[in-house]
């Protein structure tokens, strides 16, 4: 109906006429989207007060206005309330009518429902779609649950919502540019779900989960991974990921729990992490166990046997996927002659491409699980966790993937008398309880003995344990009581620091010239989520918009009280929690400090030169002390042992041309006798055959420089030779 005709028919002397006039006036402001919405907000309450018969008379006008509003350029903040009001009015006068705009016109994910509405409209289908659009929260109510299943069955729409979920998880984004489609999902006009249609998309996700059950799990997992990690669809992406996560938590099936477990590592969004934790907590409560128990009981085995391997026969070849140690997963091929190959032979590549692809995908999944388990078990170092022996055997020692991590670690076993004994292997008989060994609970002589044994037996631990740094409360920290200045006043590369926060699972705001962007606070949880460390930092580049460097400040601790955090005295923090948190902060500073940046020496004089000199050659931190302890045991086994000596905070290397002092903290090098700085931008890696008891990039760098400088007369790099004086 044209607008001028609507205006002619408008009556202003009674209720219906006033409403009609208000609706017409709103349409006249269509070009101004926010004003259009505000005028409709004024008209809707008056329309809602009309009786049913009068509303039916206004139905053509309401449908016209609803269509115009659906196509108008209205900001999302103004749209939702008006949309719901218009749809509710139309539903009260025409149950079978689906307003324009409830389903998106272009979104490919909505095609199954859109096609059904176009070709086979019905009151049942309309009620179902309207029900989907009524979901505005990540978790619907039980009433919405029950109604959704009933309406889906009445509309025979189970297959349609299943296909919608598949498209949301898999289909490429669509382009909304007026001048035609443009390739590449980085285009700002590409969407999987337009913000206008987030509610109905979330409704479809939940409907597919409620009606599809366990069969929907792989697609819910794929959707959560896609929308929760890609950064795509800034507004609707996290909401859809949250809906998928919460729907997985509502499915009572082991596959759903396994999917939630797999999402823990890749999803870093803070809000989504909370929803993951809540979904796991709810699933754990249903089973009467803790969230930690649920997580360890749902670690996927990927079909591997007890020895951590699986074999498949492809023609005359046997293909084996196996976990080797705590860090490697390999695929090997064995022919009829018994020869083992590391690469796929042509007969397997050409004859069984699909099967080979599945095995490679399996190996990739196992690597991801192995990496995640290594990080999870290391996180237990800050917990005072004790397992019944049988439970530990089932979920740790005997698990095909977790077991690969467990076998390289020291565990404590409690006997019937209550005494704890540490061991690298489970005892022959049954023990009562098991806990993970931490050097902070051990005597100094015991720690030294374990370090000797690990090196003597060349045990490569999945993470630092025997050589783990220990951080104890200092008198200065006892004096400050609530904060530590141990790692304050360091100058660090900010972007490296922020990346390291994310890598270690800490949450932090991003520094910048925006509101709140000049006060940095990184937070990491320890002790099973009961404690939180807060590391403060701030920018030091006053003139630049992009923050390149930051200055570190205090470390504080908080304890969880229900849903809130309360600041705690340092003396009240359990020693393993304090030590593990400070270990992370030491890592943050040690890796990102400008003192450890070899390129900084080329900048000439700068305002941070004094700091770099002091930090780059100063007293050793706890991590550097551990490096020294490791070198004491490693160096005698190397071919350069006769040219090396440990002297305080340095490794002294005697070359043919000069003698060098490598700092055990920063790996910076000074040359004797004048103390000149030697810049080695990138040293060679330590020889691959050299055994190291743990992974440590700085230790490898120190050793690589030592091997290089012990044979300084063979150095060919012109820059290094010039500094040495050759």
């Amino acid at each position: 109906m044209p607008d001028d005709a609507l205006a002619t028919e408008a009556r202003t002397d009674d209720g219906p006429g006033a409403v009609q006039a208000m609706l017409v006036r709103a349409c006249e402001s269509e070009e101004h989207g926010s004003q259009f919405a505000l005028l409709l907000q004024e008209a809707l309450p008056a329309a809602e007060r009309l009786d049913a018969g009068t509303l039916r008379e206004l139905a053509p006008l309401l449908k016209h206005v609803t269509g115009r509003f659906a196509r108008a350029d209205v900001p999302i903040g103004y749209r939702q309330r008006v949309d719901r009001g218009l749809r509710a009015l139309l539903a009260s006068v025409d149950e079978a009518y689906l307003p324009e705009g409830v389903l998106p016109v272009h979104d490919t994910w909505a095609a199954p429902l859109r096609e059904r509405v176009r070709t086979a409209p019905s009151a049942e289908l309309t009620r179902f779609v309207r029900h989907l659009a009524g979901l505005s929260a990540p978790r619907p109510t039980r009433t919405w649950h029950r109604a959704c299943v009933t309406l889906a069955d009445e509309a025979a729409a189970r297959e349609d919502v299943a296909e919608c979920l598949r498209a949301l998880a898999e289909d490429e984004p669509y382009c909304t540019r007026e001048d035609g489609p443009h390739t590449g999902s980085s285009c700002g006009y590409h969407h999987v779900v337009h913000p206008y249609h987030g509610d109905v998309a979330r409704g479809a996700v939940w409907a597919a989960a409620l009606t599809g059950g366990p069969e929907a799990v792989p697609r819910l997992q794929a959707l959560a991974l896609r929308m929760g990690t890609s950064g795509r669809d800034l507004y609707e992406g996290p909401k859809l990921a949250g809906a998928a996560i919460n729907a997985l938590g509502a499915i009572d099936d082991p596959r759903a729990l396994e999917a939630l477990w797999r999402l823990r590592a890749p999803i870093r969004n803070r809000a989504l992490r909370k929803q993951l934790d809540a979904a796991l907590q709810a699933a754990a409560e249903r089973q009467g166990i803790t969230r930690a128990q649920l997580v360890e009981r749902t670690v996927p085995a990927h079909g591997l046997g007890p020895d951590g391997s699986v074999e498949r026969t492809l023609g005359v070849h046997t293909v084996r996927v196996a976990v080797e140690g705590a860090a490697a997963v390999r695929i090997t091929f064995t022919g009829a002659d018994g020869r083992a190959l590391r690469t796929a032979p042509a007969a397997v590549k050409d004859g069984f491409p699909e099967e080979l692809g599945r095995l490679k995908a399996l190996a990739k999944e196992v690597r991801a699980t192995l990496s995640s388990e290594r990080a999870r078990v290391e996180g237990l170092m800050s917990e005072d966790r004790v397992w019944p022996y049988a439970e530990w055997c089932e979920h740790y020692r005997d698990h095909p993937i977790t077991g690969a991590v467990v076998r390289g670690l020291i565990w404590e076993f409690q006997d019937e008398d209550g005494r704890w004994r540490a061991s690298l292997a489970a005892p022959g008989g049954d023990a009562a309880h098991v806990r993970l060994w931490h050097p902070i609970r051990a005597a100094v002589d015991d720690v030294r003995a374990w370090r000797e044994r690990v090196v003597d037996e060349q045990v490569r631990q999945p993470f630092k344990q025997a050589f783990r740094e220990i951080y104890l409360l200092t008198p200065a920290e006892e004096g400050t009581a609530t904060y530590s200045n141990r790692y304050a006043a360091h100058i660090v590369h900010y972007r490296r620091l922020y990346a390291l926060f994310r890598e270690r699972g800490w949450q932090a705001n991003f520094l910048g010239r925006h509101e709140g962007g000049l006060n940095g606070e990184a937070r990491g949880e320890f002790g099973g989520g009961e404690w939180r460390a807060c590391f403060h930092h701030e920018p030091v580049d006053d003139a630049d918009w992009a923050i390149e460097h930051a200055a570190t400040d205090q470390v504080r601790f908080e304890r969880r009280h229900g849903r809130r955090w309360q600041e705690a005295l340092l003396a009240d923090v359990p020693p393993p929690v304090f030590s593990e948190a400070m270990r992370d902060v030491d890592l943050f500073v040690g890796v990102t400090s400008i003192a450890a940046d070899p390129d900084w020496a080329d900048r000439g004089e700068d305002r941070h030169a004094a700091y770099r000199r002091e930090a780059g050659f100063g007293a050793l931190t706890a991590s550097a002390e551990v490096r020294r302890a490791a070198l004491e045991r490693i160096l005698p086994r190397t071919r350069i042992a006769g040219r090396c000596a440990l002297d305080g905070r340095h490794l002294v290397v005697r070359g043919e041309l000069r003698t060098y002092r490598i700092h055990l903290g920063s790996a910076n090098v000074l040359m004797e006798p004048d103390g000149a700085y030697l810049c080695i931008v990138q040293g060679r890696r330590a020889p691959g055959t050299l055994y190291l008891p743990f992974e440590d990039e700085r230790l490898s760098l120190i050793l690589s420089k030592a091997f290089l400088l012990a044979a300084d007369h063979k150095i060919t790099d012109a820059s290094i030779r010039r500094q040495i004086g050759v």
Side-chain angles (χ1 to χ4, degrees):
M1 183 181 296
D3 285 348
D4 55 354
L6 293 174
T8 301
E9 293 182 12
R11 303 189 308 276
T12 60
D13 56 343
D14 56 14
V19 171
Q20 190 173 8
M22 293 170 74
L23 292 174
V24 171
R25 180 176 168 228
C27 286
E28 290 173 347
S29 65
E30 180 182 348
E31 293 182 2
H32 307 285
S34 58
Q35 186 179 358
F36 190 9
L38 291 172
L39 290 172
L40 286 177
Q41 282 186 24
E42 294 179 9
L44 286 174
E48 291 167 356
R49 290 192 291 268
L50 298 176
D51 60 72
T54 304
L55 273 178
R56 277 192 290 272
E57 293 178 9
L58 287 177
L61 174 58
L62 285 170
K63 292 177 181 179
H64 173 78
V65 172
T66 301
R68 294 280 291 271
F69 188 72
R71 295 187 295 273
D73 185 15
V74 178
I76 188 65
Y78 291 86
R79 174 174 290 278
Q80 291 181 331
R81 183 177 176 184
V82 175
D83 267 338
R84 290 175 188 144
L86 288 170
R87 292 169 189 173
L89 283 174
L90 285 170
S92 68
V93 299
D94 189 349
E95 192 178 47
Y97 178 72
L98 185 67
E100 184 178 346
V102 176
L103 287 174
V105 176
H106 301 291
D107 297 30
T108 56
W109 69 265
L113 287 172
R114 193 166 55 233
E115 187 64 16
R116 279 281 308 279
V117 170
R118 187 182 69 82
T119 59
S122 67
E124 294 79 10
L125 183 60
T126 298
R127 282 197 298 271
F128 177 61
V129 174
R130 282 204 302 257
H131 185 73
L132 300 183
L135 179 61
S136 58
R139 289 183 295 274
T141 63
R142 292 184 180 276
T143 302
W144 193 96
H145 273 206
R146 291 191 292 270
C148 182
V149 175
T150 301
L151 291 171
D153 288 338
E154 290 176 354
R158 289 188 177 224
E159 292 185 6
D160 297 311
V161 290
E163 183 59 23
C164 287
L165 175 60
R166 183 210 62 76
L168 284 168
E170 300 174 5
D171 281 2
E172 287 299 313
Y174 72 96
C175 185
T176 57
R177 281 185 65 150
E178 294 182 358
D179 55 343
H182 292 252
T183 59
S185 59
S186 60
C187 166
Y189 291 85
H190 278 78
H191 300 281
V192 176
V193 175
H194 195 282
Y196 292 172
H197 302 110
D199 288 353
V200 71
R202 285 194 296 275
V205 169
W206 269 100
L210 294 172
T211 60
E215 301 304 317
V217 167
R219 288 172 178 169
L220 288 169
Q221 180 185 349
L223 176 61
L225 187 64
R226 179 189 197 188
M227 306 304 290
T229 60
S230 67
R232 180 185 291 138
D233 283 19
L234 178 62
Y235 296 104
E236 293 309 314
K239 294 179 182 178
L240 281 170
I245 288 168
N246 285 286
L248 284 169
I251 298 175
D252 194 7
D253 184 90
R255 285 173 289 181
L257 294 179
E258 183 177 318
L260 287 171
W261 186 94
R262 294 189 185 190
L263 291 170
R264 291 170 64 250
I267 289 183
R268 295 295 184 186
N269 179 284
R270 184 179 180 184
L272 293 179
R273 295 278 297 186
K274 287 185 176 180
Q275 293 184 62
L276 265 172
D277 289 343
L280 287 168
Q281 183 65 38
E285 290 173 356
R286 288 199 303 268
Q287 298 187 28
I289 58 178
T290 66
R291 186 168 68 88
Q293 287 176 309
L294 178 70
V295 168
E296 64 195 18
R297 294 178 187 192
T298 54
V299 178
H302 298 290
L304 303 183
D307 64 345
S309 71
V310 65
E311 292 186 351
R312 296 286 185 270
T313 301
L314 302 182
V316 299
H317 289 85
T318 299
V319 185
R320 186 172 188 262
V321 178
V323 178
E324 296 184 1
V329 179
R330 304 194 190 283
I331 304 180
T332 55
F333 305 85
T334 305
D337 57 0
R339 282 195 309 132
L341 305 171
R342 287 287 187 183
T343 57
V348 173
K349 288 181 180 178
D350 299 337
F352 305 92
E354 293 183 2
E355 293 87 342
L356 180 60
R358 284 194 290 269
L359 287 169
K360 288 183 176 180
L362 171 64
K364 183 178 180 181
E365 290 180 355
V366 173
R367 286 189 192 98
T369 300
L370 184 62
S371 175
S372 182
E373 275 299 86
R374 196 164 58 246
R376 183 183 72 83
V377 175
E378 185 175 12
L380 296 172
M381 293 291 284
S382 70
E383 297 186 38
D384 190 17
R385 182 82 183 278
V386 176
W387 295 263
Y389 180 69
E391 183 179 319
W392 175 81
C393 288
E394 179 182 359
H395 301 298
Y396 283 83
R397 186 195 68 180
D398 299 337
H399 192 281
I401 297 176
T402 310
V405 178
V406 165
R407 285 187 283 274
L409 294 173
I410 307 164
W411 296 83
E412 291 184 272
F413 300 90
Q414 188 182 44
D415 59 24
E416 295 179 354
D417 297 329
R419 291 173 299 184
W420 290 95
R421 291 184 174 87
S423 175
L424 268 170
D430 288 346
H433 295 93
V434 186
R435 68 184 182 188
L436 187 57
W437 182 87
H438 196 299
I440 205 166
R441 289 196 301 264
V444 173
D445 290 342
D446 291 337
V447 174
R448 186 180 297 112
W450 273 115
R451 289 177 175 178
E452 294 287 356
R453 181 176 172 184
V454 164
V455 173
D456 289 344
E457 297 181 11
Q458 295 205 0
V459 177
R460 186 168 179 83
Q461 296 197 286
F463 51 81
K464 280 186 187 178
Q465 189 192 26
F467 284 89
R468 202 168 191 83
E469 304 88 345
I470 298 175
Y471 300 79
L472 301 173
L473 204 61
T474 65
E477 289 162 342
E478 291 174 353
T480 55
T482 58
Y483 63 90
S484 168
N485 276 328
R486 191 183 304 198
Y487 294 104
H490 286 271
I491 308 301
V492 297
H493 291 284
Y494 176 63
R495 293 183 181 275
R496 296 181 197 172
L497 178 68
Y498 186 77
L500 199 53
F501 286 154
R502 294 176 61 85
E503 182 182 324
R504 295 293 297 176
W506 287 53
Q507 302 292 332
N509 61 312
F510 193 79
L511 296 182
R513 305 299 170 185
H514 51 265
E515 185 176 355
L518 301 182
N519 297 304
E521 183 179 5
R523 296 175 291 275
E525 293 186 12
F526 298 87
E530 292 301 310
W531 292 88
R532 186 165 75 176
C534 304
F535 180 33
H536 297 266
H537 50 283
E538 59 186 17
V540 295
D541 302 316
D542 297 333
D544 298 332
W545 179 263
I547 306 300
E548 294 297 330
H549 300 97
T552 61
D553 206 337
Q554 301 173 354
V555 178
R556 294 176 177 264
F557 284 83
E558 298 172 339
R559 187 172 191 174
R560 187 188 295 276
H561 289 269
R563 295 187 177 182
R564 297 181 178 275
W565 293 93
Q566 183 174 326
E567 188 171 68
L569 295 173
L570 298 183
D572 293 339
V573 181
V577 170
F578 182 83
S579 185
E580 291 300 305
M582 298 303 280
R583 180 178 185 270
D584 268 7
V585 177
D586 188 359
L587 173 71
F588 297 150
V589 172
V591 171
T592 64
S593 170
I594 63 172
D597 183 359
D599 294 331
W600 202 272
D602 295 334
R603 299 187 179 208
E605 290 298 322
D606 70 90
R607 58 183 175 140
H608 302 310
Y611 159 74
R612 186 177 185 278
R613 182 79 182 182
E614 179 182 354
F617 298 96
L620 299 184
T621 62
S623 58
E625 291 285 3
V626 165
R627 231 168 265 136
R628 177 189 172 89
L631 286 168
E632 286 176 347
R633 293 160 176 82
I634 294 170
L635 284 171
R637 303 167 183 267
T638 67
R639 66 173 183 267
I640 62 171
R643 291 185 171 273
C644 297
L646 289 165
D647 179 19
R649 62 189 69 166
H650 297 93
L651 170 61
V652 181
V653 181
R654 179 173 51 83
E656 293 290 336
L657 304 175
R658 298 188 73 164
T659 297
Y660 311 89
R661 302 178 67 85
I662 307 174
H663 192 262
L664 300 178
S666 64
N668 289 334
V669 183
L670 297 178
M671 297 182 289
E672 293 186 347
D674 55 354
Y677 175 76
L678 173 60
C679 178
I680 303 177
V681 175
Q682 185 175 0
R684 300 175 303 179
R685 293 180 61 86
T689 57
L690 182 61
Y691 159 77
L692 296 178
F694 51 82
E695 291 185 12
D696 184 85
E697 184 178 350
R698 194 65 54 81
L699 177 60
S700 296
L701 179 61
I702 290 170
L703 283 168
S704 71
K705 288 184 177 181
F707 275 89
L708 175 73
L709 297 173
D712 55 0
H713 61 296
K714 296 181 180 179
I715 294 174
T716 57
D717 185 278
S719 172
I720 297 176
R721 289 175 62 84
R722 184 167 56 252
Q723 293 176 76
I724 293 173
V726 179

